[in-house]
Amino acid sequence: MRTHAAGLGAALFLGGTLAAGVASADGGTPRAFEMIAEPGNPDDLVLRSDFWGFYRTRDGGKTWSWTCAEAYGVDSKSPNHLGIAVATGGRVLVARYGHGVEYTDDGCTWSSLPAFAGLYVSDVRATLNGVYVVTSPSANGDASFTGYVYVSSDGGSEFSPKGSPLPPNFGARQFAVAPSDPKRWYVSGRELEATPGTLMRSEDEGATWDATTVPLTDPFMGLRIAGVDPANPDVVFLWGDTLEDPGGVASPDQLWVSDDGGKTVRQILESPHDLPGFAFSPDGTDVYVGGIAAGLLHARVADVLAQGQSAFQQALTGSARPTDKDRRVWGLYFGPNGLTAGVDNFTRAGVPAFSYGSWIADDHDFSKLMDICDPDYAACAPSTKTGSVCASVFSSPGGYEPDFIQNSGRCDPRPGDAGFRPDLLSPSATSGKDSSGCAVALSSKTATGGVFFLMSALGAFALVRRRSRKR
């Protein structure tokens, strides 16, 4: 019995990597599941996707680049919900679970932080006060792995543990610092070999920790931190996240809230499908939630605390299968363009084709800021990590360009379309050097949308989950 429980604990703790291991080789759609800005510099923005890697702009959206997931050591065609941070100064850091932390300063050369070699790194976050890395015990409860919050004050170069260790039986998943009180820390996760979620909280930068059980209803649901109120450190929203099942079986997500610093929690929202989007208004008075079936929901924070789910108003209709009137919403973020979202870049007819957009309240819809045809592929020198692994991911059969640029017709008009240009189907590249010295290959595309034919790659994981439930 203990062996079975330990196996379940390992699966729960390493949910992202378990899903990656059983995913189909066909891959999924690149979407803006999360937006991560450099602290104090909103022009430097990363759009993290569960598939294919990430997009980045450093000039406020005028230009975009794409980096494959292989650059930091995972598979572009498998789902990977990894923590990514952009530190002050522009360093990008990626939490790799049992493989430490990977980072890049120029987008081409990737290295591992020696301080985290071999550690189970659950998350990495950056604020104006520093870069935070959270480690956990190993999935099998090995006491030789100690969970800590590590802090860097030099942009993510040197780290040291801060405060006291996390409990040895606690598997950390996500970390957050209260924007209005840098001493208030939250870490979500669960006790290893246990099914409910657990929220750890500290009011003194990790010197002491207190735990609260979050009674998640699905044993395969992971507990994440949706957000901490920018004006009130006691108000924290938690996301009960179940991996989506592409076979049509509902995989419900939940939203929980605490208004007393995590001492007590209550569920305030449930959706039959994924709820990846969450954002506070800059002043903390309003909250927005986005999801596949939920679309876009809006409420006053005070009303949510008083009324729960009934406080939310439908700002935009969602759908498990998008139509011309429905919009599936992924990540949410408030920036220079106001409320922005990751939205589906799906079909020619119907949903307008773009992957990242800004909310236009008068139109009750999002307006395009970026689609998957806009980013340029920076072909770094072959001697660099990005240069050695991303070129084939971009251009090989089943890669980014054949699946999302050529064959799908999203970026190039097809024969019979107005403006069709056969020469665009074989991209012409011009070479040069960027400011970091990396060789750059730029492809020019015409963004017109297209027919998407790939399915998400979570079927095998869903089968395992359903079988486990039957047992």
Side-chain angles (χ1 to χ4, degrees), residues 40-114:
N41 180 17
D43 285 344
D44 187 0
L45 182 67
V46 166
L47 308 182
R48 183 196 64 79
S49 177
D50 278 3
F51 293 93
W52 293 100
F54 64 80
Y55 303 102
R56 188 181 190 184
T57 179
R58 305 197 72 171
D59 55 16
K62 296 177 183 177
T63 60
W64 294 87
S65 63
W66 168 76
T67 298
C68 70
E70 283 75 7
Y72 43 89
V74 294
D75 182 6
S76 283
K77 299 180 183 181
S78 297
N80 291 282
H81 191 141
L82 302 179
I84 295 181
V86 183
T88 301
R91 171 171 286 189
V92 175
L93 303 100
V94 181
R96 283 288 321 281
Y97 288 105
H99 302 278
V101 176
E102 299 291 310
Y103 73 91
T104 182
D105 292 315
D106 60 11
C108 292
T109 300
W110 288 82
S111 303
S112 300
L113 288 174

Side-chain angles (χ1 to χ4, degrees), residues 55-324:
Y55 303 102
R56 188 181 190 184
T57 179
R58 305 197 72 171
D59 55 16
K62 296 177 183 177
T63 60
W64 294 87
S65 63
W66 168 76
T67 298
C68 70
E70 283 75 7
Y72 43 89
V74 294
D75 182 6
S76 283
K77 299 180 183 181
S78 297
N80 291 282
H81 191 141
L82 302 179
I84 295 181
V86 183
T88 301
R91 171 171 286 189
V92 175
L93 303 100
V94 181
R96 283 288 321 281
Y97 288 105
H99 302 278
V101 176
E102 299 291 310
Y103 73 91
T104 182
D105 292 315
D106 60 11
C108 292
T109 300
W110 288 82
S111 303
S112 300
L113 288 174
F116 304 105
L119 295 183
Y120 280 84
V121 177
S122 302
D123 199 14
V124 56
R125 298 286 156 177
T127 72
L128 288 172
N129 296 304
V131 182
Y132 303 83
V133 169
V134 181
T135 64
S136 272
S138 65
N140 63 9
D142 186 342
S144 65
F145 290 84
T146 302
Y148 267 105
V149 177
Y150 292 76
V151 183
S152 169
S153 59
D154 61 2
S157 294
E158 299 293 330
F159 286 83
S160 58
K162 183 82 170 180
S164 301
L166 292 161
N169 65 335
F170 174 72
R173 182 176 290 266
Q174 200 159 18
F175 174 82
V177 178
S180 61
D181 181 3
K183 293 184 178 181
R184 177 70 64 84
W185 292 357
Y186 294 100
V187 184
S188 68
R190 68 171 71 241
E191 293 184 9
L192 298 177
E193 302 186 13
T195 53
T198 302
L199 177 67
M200 303 297 301
R201 63 188 184 278
S202 175
E203 298 181 8
D204 48 20
E205 295 182 296
T208 59
W209 294 98
D210 294 297
T212 298
T213 296
V214 182
L216 302 175
T217 58
D218 189 322
F220 285 87
M221 186 177 286
L223 185 66
R224 303 185 186 277
I225 298 175
V228 183
D229 190 312
N232 185 348
D234 286 338
V235 176
V236 55
F237 284 79
L238 307 172
W239 171 24
D241 178 25
T242 305
L243 290 174
E244 278 301 298
D245 183 348
V249 177
S251 300
D253 278 13
Q254 300 171 352
L255 197 64
W256 296 70
V257 69
S258 173
D259 59 2
D260 57 8
K263 297 175 184 177
T264 61
V265 296
R266 62 187 184 275
Q267 184 181 332
I268 46 92
L269 188 65
E270 185 166 17
S271 173
H273 292 282
D274 211 9
L275 284 173
F278 184 91
F280 284 104
S281 61
D283 61 4
T285 58
D286 293 76
V287 65
Y288 297 83
V289 178
I292 294 177
L296 180 66
L297 303 175
H298 165 250
R300 303 279 290 181
V301 172
D303 293 339
V304 172
L305 297 179
Q307 304 169 25
Q309 184 159 342
S310 63
F312 287 97
Q313 302 295 316
Q314 194 83 50
L316 183 66
T317 303
S319 174
R321 296 184 180 276
T323 72
D324 58 346

Side-chain angles (χ1 to χ4, degrees), residues 28 340 435:
T340 62
S435 59

